Amino acid sequence: MSYEYFFWLHIKKSAGVTTRKLLQPYYTEVDKKNKPKTFIQAKPNEYNDILNNFRVVLGDYQFKRSLFAKKFLYPDNWSSIYSFAFSREPIDRCISMFYYLYHEKRGVLRSILSAYHNIKNRKKIGLSISYDFDLFLDLIEDAHFNSDSNYKPSGIAFSTHTAPMFNDITDDEGNMILTRIYRLENLHNGIEEVFRLCGLKYQNSNSSIFINKNSKRGGFYPNLLQIKKIQRLYKNDFEIYEKAGASL
């Protein structure tokens, strides 16, 4: 089957910068920070990148972006669009989230952690990466399982970067509505297949573009209790990753 075009759903901490480069020249990027566009003023070829901007307010669809795209952006031709996303191994993605928010995003996570617990616990912040990671997992649970707001308790940037993949790729009944999910380690092969099925020329088969790794991850790895909590918080994402392994 051939498709008219493609739709890529960016799952945070899953090689977004790299994927945007590999999708060129067919993926249209828009200003995300200075003068970000809204859908009503955009051209259809800009919809994809606007939807991938976490600053765009989607209300009840903030973490149901594929469903938003299907219902509101491409209601007449969704079935003819090759829609896809990349699944990163959930434990690795969770570590990447932590270090990105803790070190690279101007220490936003450390500021959140400092305000999260009482004065006695606050003194421990930063003394142990493992302790901070425990608090980080608590914040994820509060943001995605105990809160009725997209912005609480830690803000939209935190909620977006730590959001489980499952909700974003399914409808209200939990049915996957994207055409294909690829494992992140199959990034180049996946995009090559996307282009082939859409009748586009893949120009990066010999590219030196690689997936960027967090520069400050060090040697930290979650302990057994932390892994069990990640498996509980991202249960469906583990299943998605396993099923994606059957392809390519």
Side-chain angles (χ1 to χ4, degrees):
M1 179 177 179
S2 59
Y3 295 84
E4 292 180 3
Y5 204 61
F6 65 77
F7 167 83
W8 163 59
L9 186 73
H10 176 205
I11 305 301
K12 289 294 186 181
K13 306 318 300 168
S14 300
V17 173
T18 300
T19 304
R20 282 183 172 87
K21 291 180 180 179
L22 292 174
L23 289 175
Q24 297 304 316
Y26 307 109
Y27 179 88
T28 303
E29 297 189 58
V30 298
D31 188 342
K32 300 177 186 61
K33 296 181 180 179
N34 298 315
K35 296 182 179 179
K37 288 185 177 181
T38 58
F39 296 110
I40 196 170
Q41 65 187 140
K43 298 176 182 178
N45 66 333
E46 297 174 316
Y47 288 170
N48 197 167
D49 202 42
I50 293 174
L51 188 64
N52 281 333
N53 182 6
F54 73 87
R55 300 170 184 85
V56 175
V57 178
L58 299 177
D60 290 336
Y61 293 88
Q62 196 74 41
F63 306 113
K64 300 289 292 185
R65 291 175 296 152
S66 293
L67 186 57
F68 182 91
K70 180 180 180 179
K71 291 181 66 174
F72 302 112
L73 300 182
Y74 316 102
D76 300 322
N77 61 336
W78 179 253
S79 61
S80 64
I81 295 174
Y82 192 90
S83 52
F84 68 100
F86 290 97
S87 173
R88 185 172 183 174
E89 196 283 319
I91 295 175
D92 190 52
R93 180 178 174 232
C94 199
I95 298 171
S96 181
M97 296 172 196
F98 174 72
Y99 274 93
Y100 174 75
L101 294 168
Y102 194 83
H103 286 293
E104 297 183 30
K105 198 170 178 59
R106 299 180 181 177
V108 63
L109 178 57
R110 279 178 285 183
S111 298
I112 294 171
L113 291 176
S114 295
Y116 184 59
H117 279 281
N118 57 36
I119 297 295
K120 181 178 179 181
N121 283 335
R122 198 178 303 168
K123 294 178 181 178
K124 299 179 182 179
I125 300 298
L127 295 180
S128 166
I129 290 295
S130 184
Y131 178 79
D132 286 359
F133 193 77
D134 281 332
L135 300 185
F136 171 65
L137 295 179
D138 289 343
L139 285 169
I140 292 175
E141 186 166 27
D142 284 346
H144 295 289
F145 297 92
N146 301 327
S147 176
D148 59 359
S149 170
N150 295 334
Y151 299 89
K152 296 179 180 179
S154 307
I156 191 64
F158 181 92
S159 296
T160 302
H161 282 81
T162 59
M165 180 179 183
F166 177 79
N167 296 331
D168 257 342
I169 67 170
T170 56
D171 61 18
D172 290 329
E173 286 71 47
N175 301 307
M176 206 268 281
I177 56 178
L178 295 184
T179 311
R180 189 74 172 271
I181 303 296
Y182 299 97
R183 281 191 177 185
L184 185 59
E185 53 263 38
N186 293 325
L187 179 63
H188 284 268
N189 291 336
I191 291 179
E192 185 173 11
E193 180 173 88
V194 171
F195 282 10
R196 176 175 56 80
L197 292 173
C198 293
L200 303 172
K201 183 179 179 181
Y202 185 60
Q203 301 180 4
N204 295 297
S205 58
N206 296 317
S207 174
S208 59
I209 300 174
F210 296 100
I211 300 172
N212 183 39
K213 297 292 185 180
N214 296 74
S215 59
K216 299 182 179 180
R217 283 180 58 160
F220 173 75
Y221 194 79
N223 60 40
L224 182 59
L225 290 178
Q226 292 167 339
I227 289 174
K228 288 183 176 180
K229 187 162 187 177
I230 294 171
Q231 290 171 336
R232 176 169 61 82
L233 295 175
Y234 294 95
K235 176 183 177 181
N236 293 319
D237 287 10
F238 279 93
E239 295 180 3
I240 291 167
Y241 182 77
E242 288 303 315
K243 290 180 180 178
S247 63
L248 294 183

